[in-house]
Amino acid sequence: GGRVFSGIQPTGVPHLGNYLGALETWVSLQDRYPSVLYSIVDLHSITQPQDPAQLRLNILDMAACLLACGIDPQRSILFQQSQVSEHAELSWILSCLTTMPRLRHLPQWKMKSKQKGEGSVGLFTYPVLQAADILLYRSTHVPVGEDQVQHLELAQDVARIFNNRYGDLFPEPRPLLSATRKVKSLRDPTAKMSKSDPHAMATIHLSDSPDDIMLKIRRAVTDFTSEVTYDPAARPGVSNLVSLHAAVAMVTVEEALAQARGLDTGAYKLLVADAVVTRLRPIREEMERLRADRGHLEVVLAKGSQRARELAAPVLMEVRRRVGFS
Ligand code: TYM
């Protein structure tokens, strides 16, 4: 049994961190759980300013990308968050069970509100909406990268608070982490690879050409030791390349190191780049093909949103009843 839920923001083509930290797991879970939902979380994306026409394109692009990665609408419900209004309604109810101090200490708020001077109320309550996404389907398992674990803990807390006050309704959702739970930036291996990184060379996108990938990995920050070893604390740059290599080639870190034997970091980078290119090529090609058919993508999302609404409606009805609205 169990139900899987996860989401991704439509803020541009996903990068290798999104793929290895989350999307790859999303694909594999389709065979392991009877009920699987994946959401393009457009409500979350407007916590940062978005150009409307660009947002519309990004939503369809994300749908194309998820399908290209192997999300199969026959085996999972792929949908657009804003098309299921229950998310916003449950989020309001849950926000009334969440204290300000509980949200103030979450790292994303601390970081982004500092960058912007003052953050919006939406940015502040973002993790409550995320809890609503998960709980609305009474989800049990949530495949995410390491940066989302604290948001998952909030969802667990909110579920517990609701259950205590109104009676058991929500199971405790558990994070599912991949082996590569945190892919690092290629420019600063102490930071995570991130969509908002201003440095173009820091991030490999799933749409990058083989030349782009080669260049970015050749320029990846390492250190002054030419031997290839795996020691994330002392040698974060080289170790990030080793874990990338292992992940894309689907081998263990030990096997990746065995392949690196006798190579200096310069030569090893070419091998890693090759493995990344090989892994991403079919995804990029399929994404290009799917992008051309906007109509098809719109139909996939409309059907997915319809199915998600059918699951969400009875849960929200029960919530309304427990709260005393009906
Ligand atoms: P988002 O859109 O930032 O990222 C999507 C997924 O990619 C993972 N990820 C990474 N994993 C490893 N290394 C990295 N460098 C890296 N960067 C990103 C993220 O952990 C995430 O799993 N708040 C969420 C979206 C969301 C959601 C939800 C997720 C909204 N509602 C409900 C789960 C359940 C986010 O912004 O993900």
Side-chain angles (χ1 to χ4, degrees):
R3 173 170 283 160
V4 170
F5 182 96
S6 199
I8 186 166
Q9 296 195 59
T11 43
V13 178
H15 53 68
L16 207 48
N18 298 129
Y19 183 65
L20 299 174
L23 304 182
E24 194 187 27
T25 314
W26 291 19
V27 172
S28 70
L29 293 173
Q30 297 181 114
D31 296 326
R32 302 220 292 272
Y33 286 85
S35 181
V36 180
L37 292 103
Y38 296 128
S39 186
I40 299 173
V41 293
D42 49 356
L43 294 175
H44 279 105
S45 72
I46 63 164
T47 55
Q48 310 285 336
Q50 303 288 338
D51 173 71
Q54 187 62 49
L55 178 58
R56 186 73 206 125
L57 276 179
N58 284 346
I59 291 165
L60 293 176
D61 262 10
M62 183 57 78
C65 184
L66 295 175
L67 295 173
C69 288
I71 301 302
D72 171 7
Q74 303 300 321
R75 289 181 294 158
S76 54
I77 298 178
L78 175 61
F79 74 102
Q80 189 184 334
Q81 183 191 32
S82 65
Q83 303 308 298
V84 183
S85 56
E86 282 84 353
H87 288 253
E89 189 173 343
L90 181 59
S91 177
W92 172 256
I93 293 169
L94 298 181
S95 75
C96 296
L97 301 175
T98 311
T99 67
M100 309 260 283
R102 182 66 181 83
L103 298 180
R104 209 174 280 137
H105 298 295
L106 290 170
Q108 175 176 297
W109 167 253
K110 280 203 210 155
M111 196 181 68
K112 292 206 171 145
S113 61
K114 205 176 289 165
Q115 284 165 3
K116 298 271 181 282
E118 292 199 21
S120 68
V121 175
L123 186 64
F124 187 64
T125 58
Y126 176 117
V128 179
L129 178 59
Q130 181 161 350
D133 296 341
I134 296 165
L135 300 183
L136 184 55
Y137 303 95
R138 306 183 70 237
S139 314
T140 54
H141 295 86
V142 185
V144 285
E146 192 175 82
D147 61 322
Q148 296 299 317
V149 167
Q150 275 160 307
H151 290 161
L152 257 290
E153 286 165 1
L154 178 78
Q156 293 167 349
D157 286 355
V158 173
R160 208 172 303 122
I161 293 167
F162 184 98
N163 290 345
N164 284 338
R165 183 167 310 179
Y166 298 113
D168 262 4
L169 179 61
F170 299 122
E172 180 169 293
R174 287 215 307 253
L176 291 177
L177 294 169
S178 73
T180 357
R181 56 186 61 186
K182 188 172 182 186
V183 175
K184 312 299 195 316
S185 154
L186 297 178
R187 298 308 304 173
D188 173 5
T190 62
K192 70 167 180 175
M193 188 176 282
S194 138
K195 278 182 206 159
S196 52
D197 199 309
H199 201 305
M201 301 296 279
T203 310
I204 292 177
H205 295 278
L206 300 190
S207 55
D208 281 357
S209 71
D211 286 347
D212 291 337
I213 295 171
M214 191 57 82
L215 183 67
K216 289 177 184 179
I217 293 184
R218 267 181 31 220
R219 298 264 177 86
V221 169
T222 48
D223 51 32
F224 299 105
T225 306
S226 69
E227 198 193 343
V228 178
T229 59
Y230 185 75
D231 182 352
R235 302 190 66 198
V238 181
S239 303
N240 188 39
L241 292 181
V242 174
S243 33
L244 276 182
H245 175 204
V248 297
M250 297 190 272
V251 300
T252 63
V253 163
E254 291 69 33
E255 289 169 311
L257 284 172
Q259 288 181 39
R261 207 165 293 142
L263 302 179
D264 62 15
T265 48
Y268 181 60
K269 282 177 171 178
L270 302 184
L271 190 146
V272 176
D274 233 31
V276 173
V277 166
T278 303
R279 185 66 188 275
L280 295 190
R281 176 173 285 121
I283 296 175
R284 177 170 50 87
E285 288 174 358
E286 182 65 2
M287 199 156 76
E288 284 311 312
R289 200 182 67 74
L290 286 164
R291 261 177 175 167
D293 193 351
R294 251 179 100 139
H296 170 69
L297 298 170
E298 275 165 353
V299 169
V300 167
L301 289 182
K303 284 190 180 153
S305 301
Q306 176 60 37
R307 291 169 66 202
R309 273 195 296 271
E310 282 163 16
L311 295 177
V315 179
L316 190 68
M317 198 140 62
E318 182 59 20
V319 169
R320 290 165 143 270
R321 202 183 63 73
R322 302 249 186 135
V323 172
F325 292 160
S326 58

